[in-house]
Amino acid sequence: MKKMYFALAAFLITAIAFSQGTITGSVIDGETNSPLPGANVMVKGTTNGTVTDFDGNFSINVSEGSGSLVISYIGFISKTVAYTSEGSLGSITLQPNAEELEGVVVVGTGVIDLVKERKTPVAASTIKGSEIQLKLGNLEFPEILNSTPSVYATKTGGGYGDGTLRVRGFGQVNTSVIINGQPVNDMENGRVFWSNWQGLSDISSGLQIQRGLGASKLAVPSVGGTITVVTKSTDKNEGGMLLTSVANDGYIKTVAGYDTGVNDKGWASSILLGRWQGDGYVDGTEGEGYTYLFSLGYKPSEQHAFNFTFTGSAQWHNQRTTRLSIRDYQNFGGDDFRKFNADWGLKDGKEYNFRRNFYNKPIGTLNWDWNINEKLSLSTSVYGSWGRGGGTGARGRNFGINPFRKDLTEAIADGNLPFRNDNGTIDFDAVVANNRAGLPYAEGNSNYAGAIIGTNTSISPNNTINENTAVRRASVNSHNWYGAISNLKYESNKWTFGAGIDLRTYTGFHYRVLNDLLGLDGYWSTGDRNLVDGKIITETIKASPFNDTGLNGNSKINYYNVGEVKWAGFNGIVEYSDDEHLSAVLQAGISNQSYKRIDYFASVNNVTSDKENKVGGYLKGGINYNIDEKHNVFFNAGRIERQPFFDAIFPNFANDINEDAENEQITSFELGYGFKSSFLDVSLNLYNTTWDNRFLSQTIRGADQVDDGTGTFAGIKQVHSGVELEFTARPLNGLRIEGMLSVGNWEYKDNVTASVFDSNQNLVDSATLFVDGAKVGDAAQTTATLGANYNVTDRFYLNLDWRYASDLYADFSFQLDTREWANDAQFLSEDNRGALELPSYNLFDLGAGYTFDLHENQTLRLSANVNNVLDTEYIAEGSSSIYTDDIAPEVNPATTVSTYKGIDTRNQVWFGFGRTWNVSLRYKF
């Protein structure tokens, strides 16, 4: 600690030594003609900055006798003001533009819902594009939000783009992600795959995390919160940038962008291209990706503005998906066991992995803003997305490769995995040799006589189709998604009225194809029940985002089904603001979601299902009251009736509609307090959210006192409550200290009883999930951060961040089959011990950068980050709750079981990354 104090003192002394002069001024709100507190004032081309006080005044030290200041504030158009000597610049007026982030022309402002400080009654944190560029480096995009309250983002298995996040204890499917006003959560399952959005760090103008119900007018799954990302569209000014970045484990990224600026006819365009590649921190997780953006803007008059944007990310990356016990890491991981991966090995001397994700998800958007008159405006967005890709994995009946219902240590000790090396990796050359050693084909189809054919079934008339084989299949999940959002707004004095529509149509294509035959000549598939004798497949597709994924081909195996989801939503909003003390909002929406399933393989007599319709909606509102210039309080409450996901309507991969599927019910309320001064900003929030009426259907096997069968549990309830504190302090010019503390209490509420049916749907028993009071897992319920951002000079900055996570519990998915290594059958017993608590941890990150002023408006910025500086060893996630005195799962006597930081080493976990680093050089012109 003493060293830290000495370093801080040195920073302050250096700052004083470099100061050459002082510039003062005041910033005015152009709409109300009142002072604008909290506006950012930056010396152009540097990281030297300050903010205005509550009278809108600022004072900033500069090291050069002339230059420019950039004045910005969220919700206002930024302005650049030149200075030629120290002294006062007088009053500087910023004009409102509610959805403008960092001076980028955002068209479609009426469909982007952002929280406004001291006005919108929603708890929110905003991260500007410049902070994303400086701090994100080679982290996963959602990890930038770890500095905000009640957010827990991790890398999960550790492959590029495989990260996930939770907000207030709710997972990814309960957190809405909106990019430029458009929802991106999958319309079938609600998931968001960040690997599909790898380029967001390069094209984001800023993002805002709205916790709780959020401000969005769309009927989106904002149970935990809403992440609103505003990307670069068409820049007003001519210029460009070049970026190159290097990082640990062979990571290299290059990005180039150019903006034409607006010409005298109102046209402007922007283009950005990027590429990255890396070997991966985790063993066997190399990857490569591309980012692309083209934007064309046209503003013929003050009444109309148009913008077309086409952007996306195409990538492939190897993964780590096999769950590992702590002792697996210890036994096979070598010097740094955190990097161990059970899904990879060598094939012909090169890295090869059964698990590879590949995807290309372009999205095209056309926005139109129409200012009909001074009071009435219409904002419309029409978009389309065409996702192509999926993930690979092993298929076949070679059971000597991967552990089955055991951890890797146990399976190897039992002698079950002869195709594993001593270090736990897969011997793919041996897998290929085993495939080639199969019997030559001598069945009915003479076209394949003598070929080596593998299969995943045990049916072969002459036993010359080989079962003991393995191939790499690709499970493809592609989609076509089209939508339109249009909002009409009418402003009259203190009142604002709005109405909008949200139309979407989504078609998801789900099937499997072959990716690598691993030495076989073909594969016999019996998945298509329309074919009595099955079919031999020899065609393969490449696991690459730019290649044919087999959608229109005739080489599908295992399954082929299509999900159709259509959505029609209508919303209304009423807002009141007296522009001084009181603001209030009331929002309501109703939507109809239709579901239809087409199965070309499994449902011979029912290829196309009936269409099912579900009506949902929401009602939410809140009030903000500004007590005075420094203090404000707010309150919000709401209720959501959310339609079920696709698999709840069509359970068990069948076309039969589940008549018992009901809407999930979410209720939430929140209290908030804010304080804002020239020295300190503070926000304090109290929240309570109930997620009710969840449905669960699970196989029960081997549980004490419950017969085997399928249990259907309805009415599962979770209650998440907590307190959040967030602050920013500016004790000295150039020094900004930020921090947060969030303490949650996230629990299941009430026990749930279900009927248990056998395979013939005969009632055989009843079962109760004893979950009342059980902690919700998979996210730290207590988190804290503290960061210091210090501009040593107006060109040189340093930042140091600390993060703490505790009250982290293992996740459980109610796996009630006791044959599984990690199961949750304990919850069928009243005296269960609940989810296992994992060890708490502390992490430190360090960053630094220097900006070189080259010529006129040209700058060169060198920045570097070191994450987890102390190389702390920690568990980020757990998926089992095995206590040290549990007998099950039993282990081979030749293996050992011990404890790691107090928990049993049979537990399956994901370790967080150790020390990583990145260095970037950004040229801007």
Side-chain angles (χ1 to χ4, degrees), residues 336-352:
D336 190 348
F337 63 74
R338 296 169 291 190
K339 297 185 175 185
F340 177 68
N341 183 3
D343 294 313
W344 84 293
L346 296 178
K347 178 174 173 280
D348 296 328
K350 297 180 181 179
E351 177 182 318
Y352 192 87

Side-chain angles (χ1 to χ4, degrees), residues 629-643:
E629 293 180 340
K630 295 184 177 181
H631 304 270
N632 73 290
V633 292
F634 71 83
F635 165 80
N636 70 57
R639 180 180 176 87
I640 300 173
E641 288 275 342
R642 187 174 71 176
Q643 295 98 323

Side-chain angles (χ1 to χ4, degrees), residues 552-765:
N552 299 316
N554 195 29
S555 301
K556 300 176 181 65
I557 65 171
N558 196 203
Y559 62 84
Y560 176 27
N561 58 78
V562 175
E564 294 183 357
V565 181
K566 298 185 186 300
W567 176 285
F570 304 89
N571 61 75
I573 182 172
V574 178
E575 296 179 275
Y576 172 83
S577 176
D578 63 7
D579 293 325
E580 185 176 358
H581 292 292
L582 182 66
S583 58
V585 60
L586 179 65
Q587 296 176 250
I590 187 171
S591 60
N592 181 79
Q593 186 168 350
S594 69
Y595 312 75
K596 186 168 73 172
R597 189 177 189 273
I598 305 169
D599 198 322
Y600 294 106
F601 273 24
S603 299
V604 177
N605 298 318
N606 184 23
V607 175
T608 302
S609 75
D610 293 334
K611 181 184 291 186
E612 178 73 352
N613 290 279
K614 291 289 184 181
V615 176
Y618 69 89
L619 177 66
K620 59 185 180 181
I623 297 173
N624 178 83
Y625 184 73
N626 296 328
I627 301 170
D628 55 27
E629 293 180 340
K630 295 184 177 181
H631 304 270
N632 73 290
V633 292
F634 71 83
F635 165 80
N636 70 57
R639 180 180 176 87
I640 300 173
E641 288 275 342
R642 187 174 71 176
Q643 295 98 323
F645 289 130
F646 195 84
D647 287 346
I649 300 295
F650 300 106
N652 303 318
F653 306 103
N655 282 358
D656 300 320
I657 293 173
N658 175 17
E659 301 295 342
D660 296 325
E662 297 180 353
N663 287 351
E664 296 175 355
Q665 299 165 350
I666 299 100
T667 57
S668 178
F669 66 87
E670 183 172 1
L671 292 171
Y673 164 76
F675 173 82
K676 196 171 183 67
S677 72
S678 59
F679 168 74
L680 181 67
D681 299 339
V682 177
S683 63
L684 178 68
N685 308 300
L686 304 173
Y687 66 89
N688 181 281
T689 302
T690 299
W691 180 22
D692 201 358
N693 209 33
R694 288 180 55 200
F695 176 82
L696 179 72
S697 177
Q698 289 289 76
T699 297
I700 301 174
R701 182 152 181 165
D704 292 339
Q705 300 177 344
V706 180
D707 289 342
D708 293 351
T710 300
T712 53
F713 301 88
I716 298 174
K717 179 191 291 187
Q718 292 175 214
V719 178
H720 295 224
S721 58
V723 58
E724 300 165 339
L725 174 69
E726 188 174 24
F727 71 89
T728 300
R730 296 169 289 272
L732 295 168
N733 185 32
L735 177 62
R736 188 176 76 255
I737 298 175
E738 299 173 319
M740 70 84 182
L741 171 66
S742 60
V743 179
N745 182 32
W746 310 328
E747 295 181 339
Y748 287 87
K749 213 69 176 176
D750 302 329
N751 300 319
V752 185
T753 300
S755 298
V756 180
F757 299 88
D758 64 14
S759 58
N760 295 317
Q761 295 303 304
N762 297 313
L763 179 66
V764 295
D765 206 346

Side-chain angles (χ1 to χ4, degrees), residues 159-286:
Y160 291 113
D162 288 342
T164 187
L165 87 162
R166 305 90 177 160
V167 181
R168 290 183 173 175
F170 294 101
Q172 191 84 65
V173 299
N174 289 312
T175 300
S176 171
V177 179
I178 298 176
I179 298 179
N180 293 336
Q182 300 155 18
V184 299
N185 295 71
D186 189 281
M187 287 192 66
E188 290 182 282
N189 55 41
R191 300 177 67 184
V192 174
F193 298 91
W194 292 104
S195 56
N196 299 341
W197 303 98
Q198 284 280 74
L200 278 180
S201 60
D202 303 316
I203 65 174
S204 292
S205 295
L207 68 89
Q208 187 177 81
I209 171 76
Q210 302 168 8
R211 297 180 292 278
L213 295 172
S216 174
K217 292 185 282 291
L218 304 180
V220 289
S222 53
V223 183
T226 301
I227 299 172
T228 296
V229 182
V230 178
T231 70
K232 176 183 176 66
S233 54
T234 308
D235 202 286
K236 294 182 300 184
N237 302 312
E238 183 181 7
M241 56 80 67
L242 296 172
L243 168 73
T244 183
S245 178
V246 296
N248 55 278
D249 299 290
Y251 181 86
I252 301 174
K253 180 169 76 169
T254 305
V255 182
Y258 177 71
D259 308 302
T260 65
V262 181
N263 64 22
D264 54 4
K265 295 183 178 180
W267 289 90
S269 62
S270 296
I271 188 170
L272 182 143
L273 297 171
R275 178 185 181 273
W276 65 267
Q277 68 176 39
D279 298 328
Y281 176 87
V282 173
D283 295 336
T285 57
E286 64 177 346

